[in-house]
Amino acid sequence: VCIVQKDRNCETFLGPQIIGTDIDGKFEFSNVPAGDFWSLSVVRDSLADNCVTASVPVVSAAADSETNIGDIIVEDGVRIDGQVRLADGKSIPPNTRVIFSRDGDWDPQVRTLDANGRFQFAARPGDHLEFTVRVPGYSARGENTAGGNSDPSLSVTGETKTVEIVLFG
């Protein structure tokens, strides 16, 4: 389980805190600074490939207090089928990886692309995901990005989604 501050100002950001659960799935973070807004999530690599959880917003209360967030439900996710391709038709270099992350969380996922540039993972309806792929000499721009030169993104709905990431040389 990971907890991370919502405000990531470099002057006050403490970085993520990650802890395991006991045999019953219970966990406890101690020494979480009071009076801050946090996002708590299950580390996705600790779940089965098709499973996801929601992020839980947490406000840390006064010093020496406890906050019970209740149960975190593990559920089947929406399958995302993706492909990275180079606009000039060249092959994706071996061992190229795609990194995707959920807005507000600190749990980037990494997938190594197959020989055809394909990857797969599960996400939660309502997740907004950002993808990062680096191939020397190429960048993501154009129709698969929101801002023209930013990394591609995807908002997940309740049905299987496909995402194509085109890199331009």
Side-chain angles (χ1 to χ4, degrees):
V1 180
C2 177
I3 191 168
V4 65
Q5 289 163 289
K6 289 285 198 176
D7 181 0
R8 302 200 181 145
N9 179 313
C10 67
E11 294 176 0
T12 57
F13 184 56
L14 300 173
Q17 297 180 48
I18 299 174
I19 193 168
T21 64
D22 67 17
I23 196 159
D24 297 320
K26 296 182 188 277
F27 59 92
E28 180 180 310
F29 284 98
S30 57
N31 299 317
V32 176
D36 215 339
F37 295 94
W38 301 81
S39 177
L40 187 135
S41 59
V42 174
V43 176
R44 289 201 179 188
D45 282 342
S46 68
L47 300 170
D49 284 343
N50 64 324
C51 292
V52 296
T53 63
S55 294
V56 178
V58 177
V59 178
S60 52
D64 298 323
S65 65
E66 292 184 12
T67 301
N68 184 337
I69 62 160
D71 293 338
I72 298 174
I73 306 301
V74 177
E75 58 191 336
D76 287 335
V78 174
R79 192 177 83 223
I80 309 294
D81 296 313
Q83 182 167 18
V84 176
R85 68 178 182 86
L86 304 179
D88 59 12
K90 292 183 179 176
S91 296
I92 297 287
N95 300 313
T96 298
R97 298 177 300 169
V98 60
I99 301 170
F100 53 96
S101 57
R102 202 166 40 162
D103 276 355
D105 288 339
W106 191 283
D107 189 22
Q109 303 292 290
V110 179
R111 299 289 186 271
T112 300
L113 305 178
D114 71 11
N116 295 312
R118 292 186 303 252
F119 61 96
Q120 188 177 77
F121 64 96
R124 193 170 178 277
D127 280 355
H128 182 78
L129 306 169
E130 293 186 1
F131 298 87
T132 303
V133 181
R134 299 290 182 251
V135 174
Y138 292 85
S139 65
R141 60 180 167 81
E143 62 192 51
N144 64 332
T145 62
N149 286 320
S150 61
D151 290 326
S153 63
L154 171 71
S155 290
V156 180
T157 60
E159 57 194 50
T160 298
K161 298 289 277 187
T162 59
V163 61
E164 181 179 55
I165 300 170
V166 181
L167 301 178
F168 299 85

